[in-house]
Amino acid sequence: MTPHPRDLVLERFQWVGGHADVWGIFRDPRALAGMVHGLAEPFQEDGITAVCGIESRGFLLGAAVAVELGVGFAAVRKAAGIFPGEKVTRRSHPDYRGTRQELRLQRDAVGTGDRVLLVDDWIETGSQARAVRSMVEECGGQWMGCSVVVDQTTPARRADLSVRSIVTASELPPWDDQS
């Protein structure tokens, strides 16, 4: 029997130097497959036609979830880096560190009628997800929600963005100042 995605995430999650570290999940093929399935499963019946992922962990997870759902992947890049073609851009509201990100989506990556899912590892304030939703809608796509490994956002933001998660931040092991 394959462990539940929640159990796989929790057994491999750790705090390192006061920072959340989910990279151990990526190294274990069984945990990675379980996590990808756990991210895709809540949206299996929603007619998703495209998955977006924000640079960088969102690229890895989003592309894997797109494969799991049998749909294409649309990259959302941050300000630096080559990204050819016409783009839609948004500057996010400040995140949990007070940082505003300039996000870019190729205009042709999302079309009219696309049903779009955003996949990422963690959501705190929802600032980047809100920016992505705005870009998706400008391109004619329909926002279907956001699937994340860890949800740390408020109930109101969770409902607004249709966030579904494998675990919530309150379920993570506590940081003990020794990690």
Side-chain angles (χ1 to χ4, degrees), residues 53-171:
I54 302 169
E55 188 172 3
S56 67
R57 283 186 291 253
F59 277 13
L60 299 168
L61 292 171
V65 168
V67 169
E68 178 92 359
L69 292 174
V71 301
F73 176 74
V76 177
R77 295 227 45 198
K78 294 180 180 170
I82 296 171
F83 203 36
E86 186 180 348
K87 288 163 281 306
V88 178
T89 62
R90 291 292 184 280
R91 188 164 174 87
S92 71
H93 290 285
D95 64 14
Y96 71 100
R97 297 170 303 209
T99 303
R100 294 177 58 128
Q101 296 289 342
E102 172 130 351
L103 301 175
R104 303 173 295 152
L105 172 68
Q106 289 175 319
R107 188 170 289 281
D108 292 342
V110 173
T112 301
D114 269 331
R115 296 168 61 87
V116 181
L117 172 65
L118 174 66
V119 173
D120 211 349
D121 65 323
W122 201 295
I123 188 167
E124 303 90 2
T125 66
S127 63
Q128 291 183 32
R130 288 173 45 204
V132 172
R133 179 176 63 189
S134 176
M135 291 187 294
V136 162
E137 291 171 347
E138 181 177 327
C139 292
Q142 180 182 357
W143 178 264
M144 298 305 296
C146 183
S147 192
V148 298
V149 177
V150 181
D151 177 5
Q152 190 177 355
T153 195
T154 65
R157 184 72 56 183
R158 184 175 306 116
D160 176 53
L161 293 170
S162 300
V163 175
R164 298 181 195 153
S165 66
I166 295 176
V167 299
T168 62
S170 64
E171 295 175 282

